[in-house]
Amino acid sequence: MRRRLIAAALAVAASVGVVAAIPAQGAADRNPILTVDGGSLLNLCYQDIGTTINTPTYAACRGLQALANAASATCRLPLRALPTDPAITEDCAILDGREVSEAKIERFQHSWLHHALALQNRLDRRVPLYEAQIPATHNSFNASSYVLPAKSSSPYYLPSLTNLDPNQVYSLTDQLRMGIRGLEVDLHWVPSIYGNLLTTGGFWVDVCHGQSTAVPGLPFNVHIGCTVDRSLQNTLLELRRWVARHPHQFLLIYLENQLDGNLQAHNITARLIRQTFGHWVYRPPSSLLPGECASMPYGTSEHHILATGARVMFVGNCGPGAWNREVFTRGPLWNESGNPTTYGAADCAADEKAREAHDVFRRWYQESPFLEALMEATQTMTPAATRRMVRCGVNLTGWDQLLPGDGRLNAFVWSWARGEPAVGGGRCAYQDRRGRFRTSACDVRRPAACVDRDFDWHVTKAVGPAWRGAALCRREFPHARFGVPPNGYRNAQLRAARNASGPRVWLDYGEVHGRWRSDVVPSSLR
C-alpha cells in the first residue's frame, strides 16, 4: 500500500515536469534558498550564478525551484488526505529536498538549540519592547504544508495558488515549536467559500499572499494571488491551540492589512480575534475614541503584558470600526526599510544608533518566493547576516523557508555557549571572554556586571562570589544595578566594558529550583 501511494503521488508530481533537487545539509552559514547539491539541474543553475540575485538567470533558477516546491506539495496532497503513517510524506522530499517531518521537529525540540532559544526568550521580558529581540518569520502563514479540503465532506485536497509559491515550509504551529515568537499574517477581503451572499456579499477575511489592486469599472479591488485560501478563523484557531498549551509565552502577531478600508471586514476581524482569544489579547486602551488608534506600546515589557493575563498582542495599521479595539497600530517607531541581502556596516551603525536612542523598532525581512524573483525583488537573510543583526540591535527578524535546526536560529543565539547550561556545571552564570554565558559554582570570586538606567554597562574592579554582585555594583556604581544582558547588542556592550577587567564577569542570572532566573541571584545560591 505504501509503495502504491508513493508511486501515485510521485507520478502526479512528475507531471509538473520538475527535475528533483536536494538542498545541501549541514552548511550552517549558507542561505537555504541558494543551496542545492547532488548534480541536479538546479545545482548547476545556482553554481553558474553563484550568490548573485535579482538577475534574469537567478529568476530562471528560482522558477525551477518553485516548480520543484510545487511538485513536492502536489506529491503530498493525496498522502495528507489518507490516514497513513505521517512519515510517508517525507518520501516527497526527493522533489525539493525539504522534509515536512514531524520527526525533525521532535528532534529539534530536544536539542541544545531549542533549549538555548527558550532560555534566551525570557531574558528580555522585563525590559521595554524597544529593547526586545524576537525571532520571527516573514509571511508566516504562507507555508507549503497547508492544503485545503475541496469541500468539508471530501477526503481530497486542493492546493491554493499561495501554497504553491510559499515563503515557509512548516505550519504556523511548527514554526512556534521551532522557537518563533513573532508571526506575520496577511489579511484580504475577497470572494471566499467562507463568505455569505446575504450578509457579506460572498466576501470574507482570508489569509493569502496577494496584492490588492484597483481595477477600473469594478466596485471592489482584485486581490491578485488570492484564490481558495485559508480563512482567518481557521488561522486564529490554530494559533489559539498553541497559546492554550503555553501559558507563559508571549506571542507578537503582525497583521498586514489588505482589507481595502472595508468597515465590515475590519469589524469581522476584530470579532474573530475577540471570540478566539478573549482575555488572552493585550488590547489598546478602552478609552479610545471612535476612529482613534493606539500605537504599539514600545515602552511596555513582556513581563507586564503577561502579568495582566494576556499572552498575545496584535499589531498592524490604523483601521476603522472595532479593529482598533483589538489591534495596535505600528506607529512611527516601527521601521522595516532596507534589504538584508546587503546588510553591512552602515546598516549596523544605524541600528545601533536607533537602539541607543530608543526611537526605532527595527524589522528586517527576506523575500524568497518565485514571484519576487520574477520581479527582481528577492531579498536574502543568511545566518551571517542574522548574527550581525542580533549584534547590532535589530528587534524583529523576518526569515523565509525556516527549517528545524536552521543556521539562522543558531545565529540568533547570542547568550549561552554551545552545551550550556551544563548539567552539574554550577547554578550561577558568568560571561566568558568571547561574550558567551557559562555556568559555574557560585562561590568563585569574579567582578560583577552592572547596568544603569540608560542600559550602559559597567564592570566592578572588586571581585566576590555571585551573591555579592548586587553589593559590588552598589558600592562602585550607585546608579547601576547587578544585571544580565537582555539582548545581543547589550551583551556585546558588556563584553566591551569587561575587556579591562578580565576574561570573566558574574551575571545576575542563576538557577533556582531547576529554573534559570534573571534579575536576582538569591542568597539560596550560596
Side-chain angles (χ1 to χ4, degrees):
M1 178 65 175
R2 173 182 169 121
R3 289 182 179 177
R4 288 199 299 272
L5 282 171
I6 296 171
L10 291 177
V12 172
S15 68
V16 181
V18 179
V19 176
I22 302 177
Q25 302 296 315
D29 281 335
R30 298 168 68 184
N31 191 319
I33 299 169
L34 301 177
T35 304
V36 290
D37 69 6
S40 67
L41 177 61
L42 281 175
N43 183 47
L44 294 174
C45 186
Y46 283 127
Q47 280 183 347
D48 286 342
I49 64 170
T51 58
T52 303
I53 64 173
N54 295 340
T55 65
T57 304
Y58 176 79
C61 297
R62 284 291 299 123
L64 288 174
Q65 187 165 6
L67 286 173
N69 295 348
S72 64
T74 305
C75 169
R76 294 181 179 107
L77 297 182
L79 305 179
R80 284 179 175 273
L82 296 172
T84 59
D85 179 359
I88 197 171
T89 62
E90 297 179 21
D91 294 290
C92 298
I94 192 173
L95 293 164
D96 68 350
R98 302 185 301 180
E99 295 180 0
V100 180
S101 168
E102 172 64 20
K104 283 183 175 289
I105 295 287
E106 285 288 340
R107 286 196 295 272
F108 175 72
Q109 289 195 293
H110 291 88
S111 69
W112 166 83
L113 178 54
H114 181 269
H115 185 48
L117 285 168
L119 289 175
Q120 186 172 287
N121 180 50
R122 295 196 290 265
L123 283 173
D124 61 8
R125 284 198 174 169
R126 293 181 179 272
V127 297
L129 286 173
Y130 55 64
E131 281 284 321
Q133 287 189 322
I134 302 173
T137 47
H138 168 239
N139 286 343
S140 317
F141 68 95
N142 184 21
S144 60
S145 61
Y146 289 117
V147 290
L148 292 169
K151 55 183 180 179
S152 59
S153 60
S154 173
Y156 300 103
Y157 281 63
L158 296 171
S160 71
L161 185 59
T162 287
N163 298 147
L164 294 180
D165 192 19
N167 293 86
Q168 304 298 335
V169 185
Y170 283 86
S171 68
L172 292 167
T173 300
D174 284 343
Q175 291 172 47
L176 292 168
R177 294 170 71 194
M178 284 187 265
I180 295 301
R181 293 297 178 265
L183 297 172
E184 179 183 13
V185 178
D186 293 5
L187 307 183
H188 293 259
W189 183 240
V190 292
S192 170
I193 61 175
Y194 304 100
N196 183 293
L197 285 174
L198 295 178
T199 59
T200 69
F203 283 71
W204 196 251
V205 182
D206 284 355
V207 300
C208 82
H209 191 208
Q211 181 64 48
S212 177
T213 305
V215 178
L218 288 181
F220 53 83
N221 283 11
V222 173
H223 292 244
I224 300 171
C226 298
T227 52
V228 182
D229 294 285
R230 298 182 80 204
S231 65
L232 174 60
Q233 65 263 37
N234 182 294
T235 302
L236 293 178
L237 284 171
E238 178 187 354
L239 295 175
R240 187 191 188 283
R241 285 191 291 269
W242 185 88
V243 169
R245 295 192 300 267
H246 299 83
H248 304 296
Q249 295 295 319
F250 169 74
L251 185 58
L252 177 68
I253 302 178
Y254 168 40
L255 300 178
E256 181 179 298
N257 184 339
Q258 297 203 45
L259 301 178
D260 301 333
N262 186 283
L263 175 61
Q264 186 179 27
H266 286 82
N267 284 337
I268 287 173
T269 299
R271 173 168 55 84
L272 291 174
I273 290 173
R274 187 168 57 254
Q275 289 177 345
T276 306
F277 290 101
H279 68 277
W280 290 344
V281 177
Y282 189 74
R283 293 183 167 86
S286 58
S287 58
L288 287 177
L289 298 174
E292 189 178 6
C293 302
S295 179
M296 179 175 162
Y298 295 102
T300 299
S301 68
E302 291 182 20
H303 176 77
H304 171 79
I305 293 172
L306 290 167
T308 68
R311 308 179 190 179
V312 183
M313 183 168 69
F314 291 88
V315 60
N317 62 343
C318 192
W323 167 277
N324 298 327
R325 300 291 184 183
E326 306 293 329
V327 182
F328 289 95
T329 186
R330 292 177 296 178
L333 266 64
W334 187 289
N335 184 293
E336 54 184 40
S337 60
N339 187 339
T341 309
T342 55
Y343 191 87
D347 297 304
C348 179
D351 288 338
E352 288 179 330
K353 181 179 179 181
R355 178 61 49 251
E356 287 299 322
H358 300 153
D359 60 1
V360 172
F361 186 82
R362 197 73 169 95
R363 178 192 185 224
W364 290 82
Y365 66 92
Q366 68 181 112
E367 288 279 14
S368 65
F370 170 60
L371 183 61
E372 273 68 25
L374 194 64
M375 297 187 299
E376 298 189 1
T378 293
Q379 298 180 171
T380 65
M381 189 183 295
T382 64
T386 297
R387 192 173 294 110
R388 287 196 298 272
M389 290 175 182
V390 170
R391 158 63 182 80
C392 300
V394 170
N395 298 104
L396 204 62
T397 60
W399 297 313
D400 275 8
Q401 315 296 342
L402 190 73
L403 300 172
D406 198 296
R408 293 165 296 180
L409 288 173
N410 189 74
F412 195 82
V413 177
W414 53 265
S415 53
W416 289 101
R418 182 165 289 278
E420 294 279 4
V423 177
R427 299 172 61 198
C428 291
Y430 67 91
Q431 188 195 63
D432 69 13
R433 65 173 66 248
R434 298 184 63 185
R436 291 291 184 170
F437 296 3
R438 294 185 182 275
T439 55
S440 168
C442 302
D443 55 0
V444 178
R445 297 175 64 80
R446 294 190 177 104
C450 314
V451 60
D452 61 30
R453 66 190 63 185
D454 295 320
F455 293 102
D456 291 328
W457 288 88
H458 315 275
V459 177
T460 63
K461 294 181 179 179
V463 297
W467 58 82
R468 289 284 297 161
L472 293 176
C473 288
R474 283 196 302 268
R475 183 183 306 160
E476 296 188 31
F477 308 102
H479 300 294
R481 59 176 176 80
F482 193 26
V484 56
N487 57 52
Y489 176 64
R490 301 303 178 186
N491 191 56
Q493 284 187 320
L494 172 58
R495 183 185 180 189
R498 191 207 66 219
N499 282 342
S501 303
R504 300 176 182 87
V505 58
W506 279 127
L507 305 172
D508 188 8
Y509 196 28
E511 184 188 26
V512 181
H513 303 304
R515 182 182 177 88
W516 282 90
R517 294 175 49 186
S518 60
D519 294 322
V520 56
V521 174
S523 59
S524 61
L525 293 181
R526 295 191 182 193

